[in-house]
Amino acid sequence: IGEQHTDITLQMDKNAAKLLEEAGPLLRMPSLADPQSMLMDQTHQSNAMVAQPQVRNLHDRIFGGFLMRRAYELAFSTAYVFGGDKPRFLEVDDISFESPVDVGDLLVFNSRVLYTLPEGGNLGDYVQDHDGMPLVMVEVEAWVTVPEKATAKVSNHFYFTFALPNKSSCRRVLPGNIDQARRQAVRMAADIEQAELRS
């Protein structure tokens, strides 16, 4: 009936539970919580647009590069508003194209800071000039929304990393529920593994 848990999924669940436990004061006693922490939902930004024919490809679908640019612009704005400093783009990871976008579709882009490394981190040797800078990891989801049918489906996931070059630190982002905690734990593990492969 269910999927068998592997050692990796069990470790991810343990990491997610630990992250959610760390968020406990923010969720239950916000006035007593660490002022340098905030909940993931508090970093949310969004925008919407109708897909226009000018950006279609040869197959009459919306060109993926256009979606990437719109996602990048929202991610940049999210990191800028979150950090209070013009962010420096460092990398883009794991773009997934889950379903096509047609001309005339209503696209809703949602972004949030997935997690931060307030004291900086190592993305690997291939990323230059980021040592000691606070790092902000932003997730953007693109949804094809059909108001007439009251439905929506994810068309794309985008993951961007930015540095805050003029800041010495930033706030830590914590999950507000178990789904966010799992998403955060999985992304953190993927970024660590990627950095190790590139070093």
Side-chain angles (χ1 to χ4, degrees):
I1 292 183
E3 292 182 24
Q4 188 169 355
H5 290 286
T6 64
D7 290 342
I8 293 171
T9 58
L10 289 173
Q11 186 59 46
M12 288 301 151
D13 282 348
K14 284 181 186 176
N15 293 347
K18 183 179 179 211
L19 288 165
L20 198 54
E21 183 179 325
E22 291 176 38
L26 278 172
L27 293 166
R28 290 181 283 287
M29 302 170 279
S31 64
L32 303 175
D34 179 3
Q36 290 305 308
S37 296
M38 67 188 306
L39 294 173
M40 191 183 296
D41 286 338
Q42 295 174 305
T43 68
H44 178 265
Q45 300 287 327
S46 67
N47 64 32
M49 60 163 288
V50 174
Q52 300 296 320
Q54 298 92 311
V55 292
R56 70 177 178 239
N57 60 23
L58 295 174
H59 305 288
D60 279 332
R61 307 276 189 181
I62 299 304
F63 175 57
F66 174 77
L67 300 173
M68 289 167 47
R69 190 189 93 213
R70 291 298 300 251
Y72 168 78
E73 290 169 352
L74 183 59
F76 182 90
S77 300
T78 302
Y80 199 174
V81 169
F82 170 79
D85 181 26
K86 191 171 281 188
R88 178 185 300 161
F89 171 72
L90 296 178
E91 69 176 356
V92 61
D93 277 337
D94 292 344
I95 297 174
S96 68
F97 291 89
E98 297 173 26
S99 64
V101 179
D102 294 317
V103 172
D105 282 349
L106 176 62
L107 276 169
V108 177
F109 291 86
N110 293 309
S111 70
R112 61 182 160 201
V113 176
L114 202 50
Y115 75 97
T116 60
L117 296 173
E119 310 308 320
N122 181 12
L123 297 177
D125 296 336
Y126 82 101
V127 180
Q128 298 177 352
D129 301 327
H130 71 281
D131 291 337
M133 293 181 197
L135 300 180
V136 179
M137 285 61 170
V138 179
E139 175 189 55
V140 179
E141 290 178 327
W143 290 78
V144 173
T145 306
V146 184
E148 296 86 355
K149 296 180 181 177
T151 63
K153 65 181 175 184
V154 174
S155 68
N156 305 87
H157 281 99
F158 305 89
Y159 297 94
F160 299 92
T161 302
F162 297 91
L164 301 174
N166 300 313
K167 296 280 186 173
S168 60
S169 187
C170 68
R171 293 176 81 174
R172 186 163 177 233
V173 173
L174 294 169
N177 58 51
I178 192 64
D179 290 334
Q180 290 178 358
R182 284 189 183 118
R183 178 173 259 153
Q184 193 176 53
V186 167
R187 190 74 232 156
M188 291 168 107
D191 287 345
I192 289 168
E193 181 180 340
Q194 181 176 313
E196 289 171 353
L197 290 173
R198 293 177 176 165
S199 293

